[in-house]
Amino acid sequence: MSVLPANEESIADAAERLRRGGLVAFPTETVYGLGADAGNGRAVAALYAAKGRPRFNPLIVHVADAAAAARYAAFTETANRLAEAFWPGGLTLVLPKAAAGGIAELTTAGLDTVALRAPDHPVARALLAAADVPVAAPSANRSGHVSPTTAAHVAEDLGDRVDVILDGGPTAIGIESTVVDASGVVPTLLRPGAVPRAEIEAVLGCALAERTTAATPTSPGQLASHYAPRAALRLNALSVEPGEALLAFGPDVPTGACRTINLSAKRDLGEAAANLFGALRALDATGVPAIAVMPIPDRGLGEAINDRLRRGAAPR
Ligand code: AMP
Ligand code: MG
């Protein structure tokens, strides 16, 4: 790991690392972000591993500007107005994901929507323009620690877990972006943050809706904003029952499933995490009533994988 003062050379180097699947911490006007290529599921899995996050939450995808954002999402009329008014800046927009945009399933936790933001920081903007890939970037701290507002915070917390930390000085705002869901008819405030609600409502000319209780994670499996398969999940399966599809892990796969997808034949949890949501979707799309899921070790990324699977298996 190296902490580099942000300049033309270090930004070009960091952009190249992002394109190759590396992890780069960089300043934005809100907090320092830990970036990975949002189109590269393995890179995003490595990002989760570096943060030690026990759960897969959908990540915010950072782009240089609205033109880049348009590659990855369908802009509603409301979204255009909000982007026009607040980008670059501390507003994140949740929009319908463009099918051909190439955002990895792990980035959006399997959702059909994607959260996008064009940050207002010269280093972030230069990095995003140079990388020319969408950059998933949660705050650059270990899970459970506070968000970093200096490069030194990032180094203390993530040290050897990142390839490069770009030092652009202390961040100006220090709190996370406001998240607005503009994917539907009624724009909804998902998370208060850097841009005040009143400013957004002034642009819209109407009040933002509140997130409904259905979207609040109260009990496992109830998180409406997360993708849940229609099929029942049967966890820790060592054999296959008639009519089941199989989500396999490792080299020794039981036979008898109408359809099998192996998350990682070589027991690589990063590969398994990158494949998880796409595999669930594909098996679900076959219309099977149930998916048998082989045991997955609870270490490293296995914890987040098992959390997701338990939610999918919880009674609905
Ligand atoms: P963080 O990654 O810590 O900056 O947090 C990202 C925030 O954006 C979380 O509150 C996520 O739940 C929210 N978010 C990201 N993508 C989506 C999405 N597609 N739909 C709803 N909320 C999202
Ligand atoms: Mg955070």
Side-chain angles (χ1 to χ4, degrees):
M1 180 273 298
S2 41
V3 182
L4 301 174
N7 55 40
E8 218 171 297
E9 198 190 337
S10 61
I11 289 172
D13 173 65
E16 186 54 34
R17 285 175 192 269
L18 282 174
R19 275 200 298 272
R20 291 200 192 138
L23 300 182
V24 171
F26 62 96
T28 78
E29 79 279 32
T30 60
V31 301
Y32 272 72
L34 179 61
D37 178 355
N40 179 341
R42 296 301 299 273
V44 175
L47 190 160
Y48 271 103
K51 278 186 68 88
R53 258 199 195 176
R55 283 187 186 168
F56 295 130
N57 305 319
L59 300 172
I60 296 173
V61 175
H62 294 68
V63 290
D65 51 33
R71 296 183 211 154
Y72 311 116
F75 271 68
T76 57
E77 140 96 58
T78 302
N80 279 325
R81 266 161 62 202
L82 292 176
E84 179 108 350
F86 297 106
W87 282 5
L91 177 67
T92 295
L93 295 172
V94 172
L95 296 170
K97 185 162 144 179
I103 300 290
E105 291 271 10
L106 189 58
T107 300
T108 58
L111 298 176
D112 293 327
T113 53
V114 57
L116 288 164
R117 179 166 98 86
D120 186 15
H121 189 289
V123 174
R125 298 189 75 185
L127 176 68
L128 292 165
D132 200 32
V133 293
V135 175
S139 53
N141 52 273
R142 285 202 207 181
S143 183
H145 295 193
V146 294
S147 296
T149 54
T150 67
H153 292 166
V154 181
E156 276 164 32
D157 216 32
L158 291 174
D160 51 0
R161 298 178 174 209
V162 297
D163 296 309
V164 174
I165 301 171
L166 287 177
D167 188 351
T171 61
I173 297 179
I175 59 166
E176 284 85 355
S177 62
T178 304
V179 181
V180 168
D181 183 348
S183 66
V185 186
V186 185
T188 305
L189 182 67
L190 297 183
R191 177 177 82 181
V195 177
R197 166 205 286 270
E199 285 184 27
I200 300 168
E201 293 180 337
V203 168
L204 291 175
C206 63
L208 282 166
E210 298 300 320
R211 69 186 298 172
T212 58
T213 45
T216 312
T218 44
S219 65
Q222 298 299 298
L223 193 57
S225 69
H226 278 52
Y227 169 73
R230 232 172 347 95
L233 299 185
R234 189 169 66 81
L235 305 185
N236 295 316
L238 297 172
S239 60
V240 178
E241 312 261 312
E244 281 182 335
L246 177 66
L247 189 63
F249 180 79
D252 305 316
V253 177
T255 54
C258 57
R259 172 93 200 271
T260 297
I261 296 181
N262 201 329
L263 289 175
S264 175
K266 56 179 198 275
R267 300 181 63 83
D268 177 327
L269 289 166
E271 181 180 37
N275 288 334
L276 178 65
F277 290 100
L280 282 173
R281 243 177 222 279
L283 292 179
D284 210 19
T286 64
V288 287
I291 301 171
V293 182
M294 289 178 68
I296 291 166
D298 222 13
R299 63 185 152 79
L301 285 171
E303 190 184 357
I305 294 172
N306 284 324
D307 169 74
R308 186 77 275 280
L309 291 169
R310 273 194 304 273
R311 285 161 191 277
R316 291 192 285 275

